[in-house]
Amino acid sequence: MVKILILGTGSMATNHAAAFKAAPNSSVVAAVEPDADRRAAFGKQFGIENLFPDLESAIAWGGFDAAANVTPDAVHYPTTMRLLEAGKHVFCEKPLATNYPLALEMAETAEAKGVINMVNFTYRNSPALQKARELVASGAIGEIRHFEASYLQSWLVGKQWGDWRTESRWLWRLSEEHGSKGVLGDVGVHIVDFASFAADSNVATVESRLKTFHKAPGDKIGDYPLDANDSAVMTAEFANGALGTITATRFATGHANDLSLALFGTAGALEVKTDGRASSLRICTGEKDIDGQIWKDVETPPVATTYERFVIACNTGVNGDPDFRRAADIQRILDLCFAQDKARTLTAAAPAVEG
Amino acid sequence: MVKILILGTGSMATNHAAAFKAAPNSSVVAAVEPDADRRAAFGKQFGIENLFPDLESAIAWGGFDAAANVTPDAVHYPTTMRLLEAGKHVFCEKPLATNYPLALEMAETAEAKGVINMVNFTYRNSPALQKARELVASGAIGEIRHFEASYLQSWLVGKQWGDWRTESRWLWRLSEEHGSKGVLGDVGVHIVDFASFAADSNVATVESRLKTFHKAPGDKIGDYPLDANDSAVMTAEFANGALGTITATRFATGHANDLSLALFGTAGALEVKTDGRASSLRICTGEKDIDGQIWKDVETPPVATTYERFVIACNTGVNGDPDFRRAADIQRILDLCFAQDKARTLTAAAPAVEG
Amino acid sequence: MVKILILGTGSMATNHAAAFKAAPNSSVVAAVEPDADRRAAFGKQFGIENLFPDLESAIAWGGFDAAANVTPDAVHYPTTMRLLEAGKHVFCEKPLATNYPLALEMAETAEAKGVINMVNFTYRNSPALQKARELVASGAIGEIRHFEASYLQSWLVGKQWGDWRTESRWLWRLSEEHGSKGVLGDVGVHIVDFASFAADSNVATVESRLKTFHKAPGDKIGDYPLDANDSAVMTAEFANGALGTITATRFATGHANDLSLALFGTAGALEVKTDGRASSLRICTGEKDIDGQIWKDVETPPVATTYERFVIACNTGVNGDPDFRRAADIQRILDLCFAQDKARTLTAAAPAVEG
Amino acid sequence: MVKILILGTGSMATNHAAAFKAAPNSSVVAAVEPDADRRAAFGKQFGIENLFPDLESAIAWGGFDAAANVTPDAVHYPTTMRLLEAGKHVFCEKPLATNYPLALEMAETAEAKGVINMVNFTYRNSPALQKARELVASGAIGEIRHFEASYLQSWLVGKQWGDWRTESRWLWRLSEEHGSKGVLGDVGVHIVDFASFAADSNVATVESRLKTFHKAPGDKIGDYPLDANDSAVMTAEFANGALGTITATRFATGHANDLSLALFGTAGALEVKTDGRASSLRICTGEKDIDGQIWKDVETPPVATTYERFVIACNTGVNGDPDFRRAADIQRILDLCFAQDKARTLTAAAPAVEG
């Protein structure tokens, strides 16, 4: 039985509390929230008895084994480091940290402490993704040579999720000043993890290009400068040698929230799709099907969620996946994309060469 | 009535002769072929009376208005330049030349001479492509923001087209020494043209990555060093500002010969597909369909072929599309991809840094 | 008579106060310093009557025309923006801001306000540099084709300035956490300005490479992670088309503080050298000297300092050089160098490609 | 006693013949030249008895141990490969081949054959260079951290060597069509070898920029398109970790033919200079001299020439330096510079992005 502290009480924290309450061999024993009203309401909603205004009080109390870190992105690092110091297992929301050096330090610290450390990459909960990885690892499609991965959204065009022009829950995502790293930080992180997890190989090299399109007069709406990236495209190579493209965009008109991944190998090919709810998997394998370009649906059994796997990891002492090291690897790719983009943008700001 | 000379008698020349014979207001009046037997056979097959062993003799004779240049790639430049000098219209097989400076010179010369000059990008014959371009130009999807383009083949994995390990008609395509520029030169040229034609905008910038995979012991089969690229991926930006990816590969297991293009705009999206025979087009447009992610099939009326459009251009005196200038623009992109790849490869050949 | 406020009282502020006291038509009327003892001591040292604990009090008082901003680097932006808002002329220490977007905003704001705005690039005080610029502008060496610029220091090797291993006044310069941007931020900014000022042309494009060498066990001394760059090298092109290299290093054993610049033109060449105290200038020009590679010393008359020129600008209302716009241009180059370096470093952190 | 064949009879062949005649334990026994008059004249000038119109005849005759390959650049590869096949030692003019893959194949073949293989990098004959290398290898300046290398010419500005506008011996060097690879191929190859030889470490990574300046109406003089590079600049890192710049230019007004190299180490610094005739060496080392920036001249004893060392290698069976492998390493750097430049140039040819 793992005793879990929920750090934060926002809407994502609600998901964590519900998931950990529902998971076998787990109980939510405490929560931390500075605001007294929110703290009380959260405690009441989930029947949590031990409520603290700050992390230090919770650590002083000490009656928990593990913490779910659902604080704002920039707070993940200091709070997680404090929890690790106190010897607690940590399940952290993504992104693990705001940059690679911090993420790496968190991974190394957690490993040195020997505690369970996992990150909540939610798309790992797709049965089709887990099955695809299994098939790749079993050699079902041979050596992967090529891949295409994309995460397509369209809320900058369609109104299916509301209107970004007027709603702050969308506007902040368009503005670096409000903490956004654009589509790359928001969902690019998922598709990079998704693709390389299925391929069973890390991203070795990447070349990316980001773009922020003109979207409003002066590219500003109220207090929100609209400067975060809207689209991100990459060419990449996995450590296993496969070559391919990775895309994330909020301008994919006609797609609300579609992840798709094709893996092409020397003995077959796989295609995974999910919209975050249902997921599907197709395979083309065997000489006859390959020669005839025949694709078949694959059954994908239900899988444990990242929440459930964190609980299992705490109870067995065997770290789960995705761990902090994995999150740091992904963060390196994101940092690299941003650095490449900044270099490109500053180059373009140059005065024209006359000569 | 355009009087056409066919320059070359290989299998692609057969297509040209048949197409020009069938086109209205066109007649195939002559052919050039050094080999006497082949020359006679070709003349007999298509009922061509005037047969010449070389281009000079044909020009001396002079009884043709236009030439279809179906010589080997490296011979396109000198023969076309000679034809232009003689004031003839030229319909040239792709690629127009072996590099951008030569292609540009050909375009500038043809323009200065004021003759009809076109290149045989065969996928322009897809009704869905032409309709997509028309819809884009009419504003049906607003301003294009994002695109995904790919040309997927799998003859390095499947045997649907024979076995590359033993057949020279495939082996030469894997070997630079035998004149191949790999998948990029072979079909990459098509997908670059396809995507930017539909988007009604030139490729402005590109960053590419090529790869040649290990495919045989010593990466050699008989006289064929297997050094030509198997896969090519790019991130690109069109002059209209759209961002996206372009892919060409021979390792797309499960796809024999599939071109697909998605164009995402501020007022809708289009998806074009063709396997070189049938082509299809889907659209998502209008507030309701965009918000609901509803895609509808679009009817695509038959279109004139590049052969037919060349004949029309000769008869009307109005140059057709794709012209030499267009082919030179595409060649610039290909040259850039090769240069970027060479720089990357030579960098990777460096001794490790110790310090 | 310009009434000047000194904002800050550190060692560089001492230089400012002394220089502005000595300059004609200028008086130092006030200073701002939060620490009471330091404030009193500074007031006493320079006979300044109006002393304030913060900028707001000084602005409320209002008895000054211009401010010398000698605050820490990161404070330049907010304090300068506040001064501009209050309609004051500003003379700011370098770097103008910590990044290009902020520097550009400061330049645009100062221009919109129409106040005098200058930055203290001290090497502008070299007579040889000013004379070189004059000769270039007069056409004495024709069109510049090539240049070599370097700023060579060696305090990481020699002990002429003390021992960086034990002295905090050096150690902080090796540590990003302590606010350093390494040799590039420290003196690279000077050589970039120096070279392009003499050449009378902006840096249009640059490709740079930074390096931090291993210097201590764990690359840390006490609280100082030694992570700031020690050497910076660039290839660059000026807007006038000249091509060349720019170097800044703390590892140039045998050179304490040597700036040198060679400008090679179609009608002659110039060589400027300074160690920050004396400066010298040589020229090779005229057919006979060029053919014989004969170089001659050029006399360089004394020049007004940046402090004196700021006072003149305030009194005449004509902005002086280097202004904020110039500093922003230089900052763009530095930001670009850092982005290129970060991209390179993160790439190098990749897992090896197996395939 | 090594019996040497001279392959070619141009002006550089004259140097070879004279040098090998003068070297101890060497005799020039044969020469190859297709032109009968030139063949006879060359034979007479150097008293060579065995004269052949082509290499095959010379090999059929067989009476030589080693060949000096002084053919045109593009002919080095086929002739050297033939000589290696025949088991002959080969001393080849630079550049070894026209590209890296060919150069590497020559190196690997020579090594497999076990014959002596050397390349004529003539600046290796500088006593100061050899002494500098010796001092570096002995640890006299500690670990090298920084370097500056340049090869400065000015024959595009001064007339000390004649007038490039009218003399074909200079014009061909400005024109790729006439076989030139510009300043990079001409003397850049020397400075890259010079710098990394002195530093006792290979060039690991390089980023270069080439430029061809406007020099004549239409950038053409008679049959010579003036398209070869005039200036080349690089940032580079050696395998030993040192960072620095490398420059080669024909626009260094005031310098006829000056190579200079500064190597800055953790225990001292060296400065080598040569104009191809005299060479000089200065050192700054020891705590007192480093702290005082005191540089001292170093005596440099005479050294054997590359010709003499080739003869010694043939007589002892121990391969000399620079060997083919070295030349291939240098060729890789040059090829990389050209590929980087081509990519840059083609990128710049792009249509403007509108969006």
Side-chain angles (χ1 to χ4, degrees):
Chain A
M1 178 62 64
V2 194
K3 287 177 283 181
I4 293 177
L5 165 82
I6 308 288
L7 187 60
T9 63
S11 77
M12 200 67 202
T14 302
N15 294 356
H16 283 239
F20 284 120
K21 263 183 88 87
N25 302 314
S26 143
S27 67
V28 177
V29 298
V32 170
E33 166 61 51
D35 182 272
D37 291 348
R38 295 186 53 154
R39 187 164 65 236
F42 192 79
K44 195 171 164 198
Q45 182 178 1
F46 295 100
I48 303 171
E49 289 182 14
N50 306 288
L51 300 168
F52 303 94
D54 54 46
L55 179 57
E56 278 315 312
S57 320
I59 287 174
W61 165 68
F64 64 102
D65 309 311
N69 192 340
V70 208
T71 57
D73 295 357
V75 185
H76 290 173
Y77 170 78
T79 47
T80 296
M81 291 301 282
R82 184 68 191 88
L83 287 160
L84 294 177
E85 197 193 333
K88 306 298 181 186
H89 307 304
V90 183
F91 181 74
C92 191
E93 253 312 309
K94 68 98 194 167
L96 182 57
T98 52
N99 64 44
Y100 173 59
L102 294 181
L104 188 62
E105 188 186 344
M106 291 162 84
E108 287 173 348
T109 304
E111 289 163 10
K113 284 282 174 182
V115 298
I116 299 303
N117 56 92
M118 287 178 65
V119 174
N120 192 24
F121 286 150
T122 47
Y123 288 92
R124 294 290 187 94
N125 302 340
S126 308
L129 175 67
Q130 297 286 342
K131 184 69 186 176
R133 157 87 160 206
E134 225 180 278
L135 286 166
V136 167
S138 75
I141 61 168
E143 290 174 28
I144 303 175
R145 289 286 187 255
H146 208 89
F147 64 92
E148 293 187 352
S150 64
Y151 194 134
L152 304 181
Q153 296 186 326
S154 60
W155 54 269
L156 287 174
V157 181
K159 293 212 170 69
Q160 61 274 12
W161 292 349
D163 190 345
W164 59 267
R165 288 168 194 81
T166 54
E167 300 174 32
S168 65
R169 67 187 169 124
W170 297 115
L171 272 170
W172 84 265
R173 290 174 196 268
L174 301 174
S175 186
E176 292 188 357
E177 204 176 277
H178 290 76
S180 173
K181 296 204 163 180
V183 73
L184 184 60
D186 201 14
V187 308
V189 59
H190 284 303
I191 190 68
V192 171
D193 175 68
F194 195 91
S196 80
F197 176 72
D200 197 7
S201 186
N202 279 336
V203 174
T205 65
V206 76
E207 281 182 33
S208 78
R209 194 186 288 245
L210 311 182
K211 188 152 182 186
T212 308
F213 290 89
H214 174 60
K215 291 185 294 293
D219 282 310
K220 199 166 179 174
I221 293 183
D223 284 343
Y224 299 83
L226 307 183
D227 54 358
N229 60 87
D230 302 317
S231 288
V233 289
M234 312 174 203
T235 60
E237 196 165 341
F238 290 143
N240 66 14
L243 183 73
T245 58
I246 302 176
T247 293
T249 178
R250 294 163 171 173
F251 266 119
T253 313
H255 295 272
N257 193 59
D258 290 338
L259 287 83
S260 78
L261 171 67
L263 297 173
F264 302 112
T266 52
L270 288 172
E271 213 180 84
V272 194
K273 288 184 184 297
T274 178
D275 59 2
R277 289 164 303 198
S279 70
S280 68
L281 178 62
R282 296 198 313 154
I283 193 166
C284 173
T285 190
E287 203 172 315
K288 204 182 122 204
D289 284 3
I290 289 174
D291 290 356
Q293 297 92 53
I294 297 164
W295 292 77
K296 290 177 180 155
D297 291 333
V298 179
E299 291 283 314
T300 59
V303 296
T305 65
T306 47
Y307 306 101
E308 291 162 347
R309 283 183 293 110
F310 177 69
V311 170
I312 293 167
C314 290
N315 281 319
T316 60
V318 180
N319 205 26
D321 184 60
D323 60 12
F324 282 13
R325 175 69 60 172
R326 170 67 178 184
D329 285 344
I330 302 292
Q331 192 64 45
R332 181 182 69 81
I333 301 301
L334 265 61
D335 282 17
L336 178 50
C337 292
F338 285 113
Q340 289 171 339
D341 180 60
K342 193 173 180 186
R344 189 189 317 276
T345 307
L346 288 165
T347 298
V353 175
E354 302 154 15
Chain B
M1 177 63 65
V2 195
K3 288 177 281 180
I4 293 177
L5 165 82
I6 309 288
L7 188 59
T9 62
S11 76
M12 200 66 201
T14 302
N15 294 355
H16 283 238
F20 284 119
K21 263 183 88 86
N25 303 313
S26 141
S27 67
V28 177
V29 298
V32 170
E33 165 61 51
D35 182 90
D37 292 348
R38 294 186 54 155
R39 188 165 62 236
F42 192 78
K44 194 170 163 197
Q45 182 179 2
F46 296 100
I48 303 171
E49 288 182 16
N50 307 289
L51 299 169
F52 303 95
D54 52 49
L55 179 57
E56 278 314 312
S57 320
I59 287 175
W61 164 69
F64 64 102
D65 310 311
N69 193 340
V70 208
T71 57
D73 296 356
V75 185
H76 291 173
Y77 169 78
T79 49
T80 295
M81 291 302 281
R82 185 67 190 89
L83 286 160
L84 295 176
E85 197 192 332
K88 305 298 181 186
H89 306 304
V90 183
F91 182 74
C92 191
E93 254 310 309
K94 67 97 194 170
L96 183 57
T98 52
N99 63 45
Y100 173 60
L102 294 181
L104 187 62
E105 189 186 344
M106 291 162 83
E108 288 173 348
T109 303
E111 289 163 9
K113 284 281 176 184
V115 298
I116 301 301
N117 56 93
M118 289 179 64
V119 174
N120 193 24
F121 286 151
T122 46
Y123 288 94
R124 292 291 187 95
N125 302 341
S126 308
L129 174 67
Q130 296 287 343
K131 183 70 186 175
R133 157 86 160 206
E134 226 180 276
L135 286 166
V136 167
S138 74
I141 61 167
E143 291 174 27
I144 303 175
R145 291 284 187 255
H146 208 90
F147 64 92
E148 293 187 351
S150 65
Y151 195 133
L152 305 181
Q153 296 187 324
S154 60
W155 54 268
L156 287 173
V157 182
K159 293 211 171 69
Q160 61 273 15
W161 292 349
D163 190 346
W164 59 268
R165 288 168 195 81
T166 54
E167 299 173 33
S168 65
R169 66 184 169 127
W170 298 114
L171 271 170
W172 85 265
R173 290 173 196 270
L174 301 174
S175 185
E176 292 187 358
E177 203 174 277
H178 290 75
S180 173
K181 296 203 162 181
V183 74
L184 183 60
D186 202 13
V187 307
V189 61
H190 285 302
I191 191 68
V192 170
D193 176 68
F194 196 91
S196 80
F197 176 73
D200 197 6
S201 186
N202 278 336
V203 174
T205 64
V206 75
E207 281 181 32
S208 78
R209 195 186 286 246
L210 310 182
K211 188 153 183 186
T212 308
F213 290 89
H214 174 59
K215 291 186 293 295
D219 281 312
K220 201 166 177 171
I221 294 185
D223 284 343
Y224 298 84
L226 307 184
D227 53 358
N229 59 87
D230 302 318
S231 288
V233 289
M234 311 174 203
T235 61
E237 195 164 341
F238 289 144
N240 66 13
L243 183 74
T245 58
I246 301 176
T247 293
T249 178
R250 294 164 172 174
F251 266 121
T253 313
H255 296 271
N257 192 61
D258 290 338
L259 286 82
S260 77
L261 171 67
L263 296 173
F264 302 111
T266 53
L270 288 171
E271 213 179 83
V272 194
K273 287 182 185 298
T274 179
D275 60 2
R277 290 166 303 199
S279 71
S280 68
L281 178 63
R282 297 199 311 155
I283 193 166
C284 172
T285 191
E287 203 173 314
K288 204 182 123 203
D289 284 4
I290 290 173
D291 290 357
Q293 297 92 52
I294 297 164
W295 292 77
K296 289 174 181 157
D297 290 334
V298 179
E299 290 283 314
T300 59
V303 296
T305 66
T306 47
Y307 305 101
E308 291 162 347
R309 283 184 292 111
F310 177 68
V311 170
I312 293 166
C314 290
N315 281 319
T316 61
V318 180
N319 204 26
D321 184 62
D323 60 11
F324 282 12
R325 176 69 58 172
R326 170 66 179 185
D329 286 345
I330 302 291
Q331 192 64 44
R332 181 182 69 82
I333 301 302
L334 265 61
D335 282 17
L336 179 49
C337 293
F338 285 113
Q340 289 171 338
D341 180 59
K342 194 173 180 186
R344 190 190 317 276
T345 308
L346 287 165
T347 299
V353 175
E354 304 155 12
Chain C
M1 176 64 64
V2 195
K3 288 177 282 180
I4 293 176
L5 166 82
I6 308 288
L7 187 60
T9 63
S11 77
M12 200 66 200
T14 302
N15 294 356
H16 282 237
F20 284 120
K21 262 183 87 87
N25 302 313
S26 143
S27 68
V28 176
V29 299
V32 170
E33 166 61 50
D35 182 273
D37 291 347
R38 293 186 55 155
R39 187 164 65 236
F42 192 78
K44 193 170 164 198
Q45 183 179 359
F46 295 100
I48 302 170
E49 287 181 18
N50 306 288
L51 300 170
F52 302 95
D54 54 47
L55 179 57
E56 277 314 312
S57 319
I59 287 175
W61 165 67
F64 64 102
D65 309 311
N69 192 339
V70 208
T71 56
D73 295 357
V75 185
H76 291 174
Y77 170 78
T79 49
T80 295
M81 290 301 281
R82 185 67 191 89
L83 286 160
L84 294 176
E85 197 193 332
K88 306 298 182 184
H89 306 304
V90 183
F91 182 75
C92 191
E93 255 310 310
K94 68 97 194 168
L96 182 58
T98 51
N99 64 45
Y100 173 60
L102 294 181
L104 187 62
E105 189 187 344
M106 291 162 83
E108 288 173 347
T109 304
E111 289 163 11
K113 284 283 175 182
V115 298
I116 301 303
N117 55 92
M118 289 179 64
V119 173
N120 193 24
F121 286 151
T122 48
Y123 287 94
R124 292 290 187 96
N125 302 340
S126 307
L129 174 67
Q130 296 287 342
K131 184 69 186 175
R133 157 86 160 206
E134 226 181 276
L135 287 166
V136 167
S138 75
I141 61 168
E143 290 174 29
I144 303 175
R145 289 287 187 255
H146 208 91
F147 65 91
E148 293 187 352
S150 65
Y151 194 133
L152 304 182
Q153 296 187 324
S154 60
W155 54 268
L156 287 173
V157 181
K159 294 212 171 67
Q160 61 273 14
W161 292 350
D163 189 347
W164 59 267
R165 287 169 195 80
T166 53
E167 300 174 32
S168 65
R169 66 184 169 127
W170 298 115
L171 271 170
W172 84 265
R173 290 174 196 270
L174 301 175
S175 186
E176 292 188 357
E177 203 175 278
H178 290 77
S180 173
K181 295 203 163 181
V183 73
L184 184 60
D186 201 13
V187 308
V189 59
H190 284 303
I191 191 68
V192 171
D193 175 68
F194 195 91
S196 81
F197 176 72
D200 197 7
S201 186
N202 279 336
V203 174
T205 65
V206 76
E207 281 182 33
S208 78
R209 195 186 285 247
L210 311 182
K211 190 155 181 183
T212 308
F213 290 90
H214 173 59
K215 291 186 294 293
D219 282 311
K220 199 166 179 173
I221 294 184
D223 284 343
Y224 297 84
L226 307 183
D227 54 358
N229 60 87
D230 302 319
S231 289
V233 290
M234 310 173 206
T235 61
E237 195 165 340
F238 290 144
N240 66 14
L243 184 73
T245 58
I246 302 177
T247 294
T249 179
R250 294 163 170 173
F251 265 120
T253 314
H255 295 272
N257 193 60
D258 291 338
L259 286 82
S260 77
L261 172 67
L263 296 173
F264 301 112
T266 53
L270 287 171
E271 213 182 83
V272 194
K273 287 183 184 297
T274 179
D275 61 1
R277 290 165 302 200
S279 72
S280 68
L281 179 63
R282 297 198 313 155
I283 194 166
C284 172
T285 190
E287 203 172 314
K288 206 183 119 202
D289 284 4
I290 289 173
D291 289 356
Q293 297 91 52
I294 297 165
W295 292 77
K296 290 176 179 155
D297 290 334
V298 179
E299 290 283 314
T300 59
V303 295
T305 65
T306 46
Y307 306 103
E308 290 162 348
R309 283 183 293 110
F310 177 69
V311 170
I312 292 166
C314 290
N315 281 318
T316 61
V318 180
N319 205 27
D321 184 61
D323 59 13
F324 282 12
R325 175 69 59 171
R326 169 68 178 185
D329 286 344
I330 302 292
Q331 192 65 44
R332 181 183 69 81
I333 302 302
L334 264 62
D335 282 17
L336 179 49
C337 293
F338 285 113
Q340 289 171 337
D341 180 60
K342 193 172 179 185
R344 190 190 317 275
T345 308
L346 287 165
T347 299
V353 174
E354 303 154 13
Chain D
M1 176 64 63
V2 194
K3 288 178 280 180
I4 294 177
L5 166 81
I6 309 289
L7 187 59
T9 63
S11 78
M12 200 68 201
T14 303
N15 293 355
H16 283 238
F20 284 121
K21 263 183 87 86
N25 302 314
S26 144
S27 67
V28 177
V29 298
V32 169
E33 165 61 51
D35 182 271
D37 291 347
R38 294 185 55 154
R39 187 164 66 235
F42 192 78
K44 195 172 163 194
Q45 184 180 359
F46 295 100
I48 303 172
E49 287 181 18
N50 306 288
L51 299 169
F52 302 95
D54 54 47
L55 179 56
E56 277 314 312
S57 320
I59 287 174
W61 165 69
F64 63 102
D65 309 312
N69 192 340
V70 207
T71 56
D73 295 357
V75 186
H76 292 173
Y77 169 78
T79 48
T80 295
M81 290 301 282
R82 185 66 190 91
L83 286 161
L84 295 176
E85 197 194 332
K88 305 299 180 183
H89 306 305
V90 183
F91 181 74
C92 191
E93 254 309 310
K94 68 98 192 165
L96 182 57
T98 51
N99 64 44
Y100 173 60
L102 294 181
L104 188 62
E105 189 187 343
M106 291 162 83
E108 287 173 348
T109 304
E111 289 163 9
K113 284 282 174 182
V115 297
I116 300 303
N117 55 93
M118 288 179 64
V119 174
N120 193 24
F121 286 151
T122 47
Y123 288 93
R124 293 291 187 95
N125 302 340
S126 307
L129 175 67
Q130 296 287 341
K131 184 70 185 177
R133 157 86 161 207
E134 225 182 276
L135 286 166
V136 166
S138 74
I141 60 168
E143 290 174 28
I144 303 176
R145 290 285 187 256
H146 208 91
F147 64 92
E148 293 186 352
S150 65
Y151 195 133
L152 304 181
Q153 296 187 325
S154 60
W155 55 268
L156 287 174
V157 182
K159 294 212 171 67
Q160 61 274 13
W161 292 350
D163 190 346
W164 60 267
R165 287 168 196 81
T166 55
E167 300 174 33
S168 66
R169 66 186 169 125
W170 298 115
L171 271 170
W172 84 265
R173 291 174 196 269
L174 300 175
S175 186
E176 292 188 357
E177 205 174 276
H178 290 76
S180 173
K181 296 204 163 181
V183 73
L184 183 60
D186 201 14
V187 308
V189 60
H190 284 303
I191 191 68
V192 170
D193 176 68
F194 196 91
S196 80
F197 176 72
D200 197 7
S201 187
N202 278 335
V203 174
T205 65
V206 75
E207 281 181 32
S208 79
R209 194 186 287 245
L210 311 182
K211 188 152 182 186
T212 308
F213 290 90
H214 174 60
K215 291 186 295 294
D219 281 312
K220 198 164 178 174
I221 293 184
D223 284 343
Y224 298 83
L226 307 184
D227 55 357
N229 60 87
D230 302 318
S231 288
V233 289
M234 310 173 205
T235 60
E237 195 164 341
F238 289 144
N240 66 14
L243 183 73
T245 58
I246 301 176
T247 293
T249 179
R250 293 164 171 174
F251 266 120
T253 313
H255 295 272
N257 194 59
D258 291 338
L259 287 83
S260 78
L261 172 66
L263 297 173
F264 302 111
T266 52
L270 287 172
E271 212 181 83
V272 193
K273 286 183 185 298
T274 179
D275 60 3
R277 290 166 302 197
S279 71
S280 68
L281 179 63
R282 297 197 312 155
I283 194 166
C284 172
T285 191
E287 203 172 315
K288 205 181 122 204
D289 285 4
I290 289 173
D291 290 356
Q293 296 92 53
I294 297 164
W295 291 78
K296 290 176 180 157
D297 290 334
V298 179
E299 290 283 315
T300 59
V303 295
T305 65
T306 46
Y307 306 101
E308 290 163 346
R309 284 184 292 112
F310 177 69
V311 170
I312 292 166
C314 290
N315 281 319
T316 60
V318 180
N319 205 26
D321 184 62
D323 59 13
F324 283 12
R325 176 69 59 173
R326 170 67 178 184
D329 286 345
I330 301 291
Q331 192 64 45
R332 181 182 70 82
I333 301 302
L334 265 61
D335 282 16
L336 179 50
C337 293
F338 285 112
Q340 289 171 339
D341 181 59
K342 193 172 179 186
R344 189 190 316 277
T345 308
L346 287 165
T347 299
V353 175
E354 304 154 14

